[in-house]
Amino acid sequence: LALEAISALENKSLAEALRSSFISCKTDLEKAEACFSRLTSKAWPRQSLEEFFHSWRDTHLTMTSVAAMMTRLLELSEAASTSDSREAYRKAALNISQVMAEDLGLKGGEDHSELFVRMANTICGGPEWESRRNRVPSCTNFRAWVYQQRVSAPDLAGGLMLSVASEIYNHAEMTYLNQVVPGWLEKYYGFTRVDAKRANTYVDVHAHGVETDHFGVAFSAVEYIYLAEGKGVDYDKINSRCTDYLVAVGRAFEGVSLKVF
Ligand SMILES: [Fe+2]
Ligand SMILES: [Fe+2]
């Protein structure tokens, strides 16, 4: 699913950097897929569902780290010594702000964190999944790493590249889940079709191009950073950051499979 989206890219250097990363990370991606396919293969006890939703959220809803990068870009714009670089950093910030637009409900939909909570509450049968006792260390560590890379690591372009990687990965994850979650809820939990669809809204809103749009604006932000610095985009670095991200995703979900299922 990711390769499909990548092959549609017009920028061939970008497509190649991402394609080779996704191919080299096949086993990491399989760890994530194994976790989701196990989740949707049967009815799990409440405890497993609570741990799954708690840990899955740790891998998503990282919007505040995106807001931090936007703020850092605006600070760079303010401090820039030439009007060209000032403008380029401003454009990078503007692009990255668009990654947050749907998540915040600015485009008319609902706030995505609300949708996540509704999905988890409905499937788990209450809000207890949010309790810290349901933490899975591999996912807590993943989240801490993503935040550190985006918020406090000096290399802002490297942090933004993690967003480029995460948006395309999320597109694949959500497209996959959208095909299996409603049927899982109907078959194993007795949801009506309407209720299953409603519970799955969080997944559905991400499965029809929202994440590939985010991917596009995140990459534009990267391009503007390089422009601000008077350099060409470093595609080798995009490749290695994408690989860093996918390896981390694989490790996070491997931990979920071991602890939860
Ligand atoms: Fe979202
Ligand atoms: Fe996104």
Side-chain angles (χ1 to χ4, degrees):
L1 292 166
L3 290 175
E4 243 172 65
I6 289 167
S7 68
L9 293 172
E10 276 172 33
N11 179 335
K12 294 303 161 203
S13 311
L14 175 61
E16 184 47 34
L18 295 170
R19 195 189 66 87
S20 72
S21 173
F22 271 81
I23 287 174
S24 72
C25 293
K26 192 166 178 285
T27 52
D28 306 286
L29 291 160
E30 280 166 0
K31 289 174 189 166
E33 192 178 340
C35 183
F36 293 119
S37 98
R38 197 123 167 74
L39 170 74
T40 53
S41 68
K42 58 178 268 197
W44 294 95
R46 184 169 179 153
Q47 181 57 35
S48 305
L49 294 173
E50 287 186 1
E51 287 178 351
F52 172 79
F53 278 97
H54 190 105
S55 58
W56 189 37
R57 184 169 67 176
D58 272 343
T59 71
H60 278 233
L61 300 173
T62 57
M63 203 190 66
T64 52
S65 70
V66 179
M69 291 192 290
M70 185 182 75
T71 307
R72 292 176 70 184
L73 287 166
L74 289 171
E75 285 170 357
L76 286 168
S77 177
E78 274 302 293
S81 53
T82 68
S83 59
D84 282 356
S85 83
R86 187 184 187 85
E87 179 61 6
Y89 281 126
R90 192 190 66 80
K91 287 248 180 65
L94 187 64
N95 272 283
I96 209 68
S97 78
Q98 292 306 301
V99 171
M100 299 184 281
E102 283 90 3
D103 292 343
L104 286 163
L106 291 176
K107 302 251 165 120
E110 288 174 83
D111 183 302
H112 288 185
S113 59
E114 303 276 332
L115 293 176
F116 188 96
V117 167
R118 189 166 88 203
M119 179 179 194
N121 284 354
T122 306
I123 297 173
C124 296
E128 291 77 11
W129 62 273
E130 294 205 55
S131 162
R132 288 164 65 97
R133 70 159 191 268
N134 291 315
R135 279 180 161 191
V136 173
S138 64
C139 292
T140 314
N141 294 342
F142 173 84
R143 187 174 190 81
W145 174 73
V146 168
Y147 269 74
Q148 190 273 328
Q149 294 291 308
R150 291 179 180 167
V151 178
S152 53
D155 176 14
L156 183 51
L160 271 164
M161 286 172 186
L162 290 188
S163 285
V164 171
S166 77
E167 299 295 350
I168 198 120
Y169 166 79
N170 283 346
H171 165 75
E173 183 188 286
M174 293 298 193
T175 306
Y176 173 79
L177 285 172
N178 206 34
Q179 292 163 1
V180 292
V181 167
W184 169 57
L185 296 176
E186 283 179 54
K187 184 169 175 194
Y188 294 105
Y189 290 95
F191 280 53
T192 64
R193 178 148 300 180
V194 173
D195 288 345
K197 205 168 174 287
R198 186 173 150 75
N200 187 57
T201 308
Y202 175 75
V203 170
D204 189 65
V205 297
H206 291 103
H208 305 288
V210 160
E211 298 300 80
T212 44
D213 289 351
H214 289 176
F215 161 79
V217 285
F219 177 67
S220 290
V222 169
E223 281 184 305
Y224 276 116
I225 288 199
Y226 279 91
L227 185 68
E229 293 168 1
K231 294 186 279 191
V233 174
D234 182 346
Y235 289 100
D236 289 339
K237 183 163 165 174
I238 291 191
N239 173 275
S240 78
R241 292 307 275 167
C242 185
T243 298
D244 291 345
Y245 187 81
L246 297 178
V247 169
V249 163
R251 206 175 292 140
F253 284 109
E254 184 176 43
V256 176
S257 293
L258 289 170
K259 179 153 193 286
V260 179
F261 300 134

